Amino acid sequence: MKRSLLAAAGVLALSAGLAQAEGALTFPVGEGEFNWESFEALKATDLSGEQVTVFGPWLGPDQELVEKVLAYFAEATGADVRYTGSDSFEQQIVVDAEAGSAPNVAVFPQPGLVSDMAARGFIAPLGSETADWVRENYAAGDSWVDLSTFTGPDGNEDVFGLFYKVDVKSLVWYVPETFEDFGYDIPQSMEELKTLTDQMVADGNTPWCIGLGSGGATGWPATDWVEDMMLRTQEPGVYDQWVSNDIPFTDPRVVNAIEEFGYFARNDDYVSGGAGAVASTDFRDSPKGLFASPPQCLMHRQASFIPAFFPEGTEVGLDADFFYFPAYEEKELGSPVLGAGTLWSITNDSKGARALMEFLKSPIGHEVWMAQQGFLTPHKGVNTDLYATDTLKKMGEILLSADTFRFDASDLMPGGVGAGSFWTGMVGYAGGTPAEEVAAEIQSSWDALK
């Protein structure tokens, strides 16, 4: 899975009780432009003496951050909050649920596992009130409801979690100074992006750096391209049918999305090193062409994590920046965003667990992480000026402007497809195999799993 490619290795870690360790909150209550009213409202729930356990995938610095946020819940309610992190979360949460020892709340990196556990009765439904709240308070609210709605053991659909902490993938990175030197404007539509691509070639420049290499996971960057193109050429419902294989990979709409990627990646004039270099270039090395002198490329489509592989000392917002990977104006599909996020679900129901879910709805529950690092939210009620950096604020604004949000498709598909034949198929396509042939091979691998 793509998420795990960049996950930090770690060991099982158990925190101390946050209520006791709270002592010094990161941001003193009442100070700064936080929504302290929402913090005060949490005090109406008295959880003194009640322990609330939370289990998730975060270790190291990320664990410290989530504990700093949960400390506000502990402070407001009096609860004894204990977070446990594990690099084997996906396996351990199933073991714990089957043994009857699940935590009150579990933090799922991917919604697919929530679907499986909800069907087995291991997750408590949150009901129509939560669904209505998400529709009203999250940008692209219907998308978030759809992504958290699953079938329970009774055969009925319900919301089984709340998305909290989101990542954005629909980004194009560039060097502002280079764009300024050549007089290039940021494209506002896919039509303009394609026109800009041609203009760069006409000016003697190479528009794109694209690299699919990633060791045993080679090919995954291309699946992100295809997913973004599906969202820019088809209604969200078609994307969902593709993810569930209700329409096959061989459907002309899917083949077209693959070829939309090929429009950029299989043109020697468009890609640094030529089309033949796409599959063999490591994704971590690919953006370095932006910073070469003279530049080897002028644009790089990649998720929010890619600055980690920029040259040391690169300052995002100054030396490098990004813009939204635009949608087709003529198709009138709004502004879709591809990304990922964590889904918080109740796996051991209690008054404290329900109160924690209410905390995750509160503006303060988002703002105290926003003001630190590594956090984006589609919550429309937060003060976006509290984002720790201009970069985070800009990404947050992309989320808030989204009409549709969809989770990374390959991470939702069966492993043999999403982390197997889809990856290898895209490598073959980048190397010249026809899209129809690639799609047929991927579909055959999916059929073999049924």
Side-chain angles (χ1 to χ4, degrees):
M1 303 251 181
K2 285 181 238 179
R3 179 193 61 79
S4 63
L5 295 175
L6 299 169
V11 295
L12 188 66
L14 178 65
S15 75
L18 295 177
Q20 289 80 2
E22 177 273 320
L25 295 174
T26 307
F27 308 101
V29 176
E31 296 183 13
E33 299 300 316
F34 296 87
N35 190 321
W36 293 117
E37 292 83 0
S38 65
F39 176 81
E40 294 298 323
L42 295 167
K43 293 182 177 179
T45 303
D46 184 4
L47 299 175
S48 300
E50 180 170 343
Q51 187 176 99
V52 181
T53 53
V54 182
F55 180 39
W58 296 310
L59 294 163
D62 286 334
Q63 175 170 336
E64 293 176 9
L65 285 167
V66 73
E67 288 176 344
K68 288 178 179 179
V69 174
L70 292 173
Y72 285 85
F73 173 70
E75 173 72 6
T77 63
D80 174 12
V81 187
R82 296 176 181 267
Y83 172 82
T84 304
S86 172
D87 60 355
S88 301
F89 168 83
E90 290 90 339
Q91 295 76 31
Q92 192 61 46
I93 188 60
V94 175
V95 171
D96 291 347
E98 291 175 340
S101 57
N104 295 116
V105 173
V107 183
F108 292 87
Q110 297 167 332
L113 182 54
V114 181
S115 176
D116 295 339
M117 293 184 64
R120 299 179 65 186
F122 289 143
I123 297 180
L126 300 182
S128 59
E129 289 185 3
T130 294
D132 291 342
W133 182 90
V134 172
R135 289 191 184 96
E136 178 67 24
N137 291 278
Y138 272 20
D142 284 336
S143 293
W144 297 107
V145 172
D146 292 345
L147 286 167
S148 56
T149 298
F150 308 106
T151 302
D154 57 1
N156 295 321
E157 289 191 338
D158 207 318
V159 169
F160 283 92
L162 187 70
F163 275 96
Y164 173 87
K165 190 177 186 300
V166 176
D167 298 310
V168 173
K169 294 191 171 188
S170 302
L171 305 174
V172 178
W173 296 85
Y174 71 106
V175 173
E177 183 178 359
T178 304
F179 265 51
E180 184 178 344
D181 287 345
F182 289 101
Y184 298 143
D185 295 324
I186 302 301
Q188 302 301 311
S189 67
M190 185 60 69
E191 290 91 342
E192 290 186 8
L193 179 62
K194 288 185 173 181
T195 297
L196 176 60
T197 296
D198 286 329
Q199 182 61 51
M200 289 176 174
V201 172
D203 293 341
N205 297 314
T206 301
W208 295 93
C209 275
I210 304 175
L212 308 187
S214 187
T218 291
W220 72 257
T223 67
D224 281 0
W225 273 87
V226 174
E227 290 154 5
D228 252 333
M229 288 304 187
M230 278 292 291
L231 290 174
R232 282 151 182 75
T233 56
Q234 305 299 327
E235 296 284 348
V238 175
Y239 183 93
D240 298 336
Q241 291 176 308
W242 171 52
V243 169
S244 61
N245 206 221
D246 289 335
I247 62 171
F249 257 88
T250 50
D251 186 286
R253 292 166 292 186
V254 181
V255 173
N256 176 69
I258 295 173
E259 292 176 334
E260 285 277 355
F261 164 60
Y263 174 90
F264 296 97
R266 299 210 331 185
N267 186 320
D268 286 333
D269 292 334
Y270 286 176
V271 186
S272 177
V278 169
S280 60
T281 300
D282 193 285
F283 85 94
R284 288 155 288 213
D285 294 329
S286 185
K288 294 176 182 177
L290 296 170
F291 308 98
S293 182
Q296 295 174 3
C297 63
L298 275 62
M299 295 182 289
H300 181 70
R301 185 229 155 273
Q302 190 50 273
S304 55
F305 68 79
I306 199 61
F309 302 104
F310 288 173
E312 186 176 353
T314 301
E315 183 177 344
V316 175
L318 180 63
D319 305 313
D321 208 342
F322 61 89
F323 58 85
Y324 167 68
F325 188 54
Y328 279 101
E329 184 177 8
E330 66 177 18
K331 296 185 183 296
E332 298 183 348
L333 292 173
S335 301
V337 171
L338 177 71
T342 56
L343 188 62
W344 294 52
S345 300
I346 295 176
T347 44
N348 186 357
D349 212 347
S350 69
K351 179 182 177 181
R354 295 283 168 173
L356 179 55
M357 301 308 288
E358 291 303 310
F359 171 71
L360 297 181
K361 296 177 184 177
S362 70
I364 194 66
H366 295 245
E367 290 173 345
V368 293
W369 201 334
M370 288 167 55
Q372 297 179 78
Q373 62 181 350
F375 185 88
L376 298 173
T377 178
H379 197 313
K380 295 187 291 186
V382 301
N383 178 5
T384 57
D385 289 336
L386 290 170
Y387 272 116
T389 67
D390 289 340
T391 296
L392 287 171
K393 182 179 180 180
K394 187 175 175 181
M395 290 179 184
E397 289 170 348
I398 289 175
L399 266 180
L400 291 177
S401 299
D403 301 294
T404 299
F405 184 95
R406 282 298 183 267
F407 210 92
D408 183 292
S410 63
D411 277 349
L412 301 178
M413 295 173 180
V417 178
S421 59
F422 194 5
W423 288 354
T424 57
M426 295 314 300
V427 173
Y429 175 70
T433 304
E436 294 87 350
E437 183 177 330
V438 167
E441 291 174 353
I442 298 171
Q443 185 56 45
S444 293
S445 76
W446 202 323
D447 292 341
L449 298 175
K450 296 178 180 178

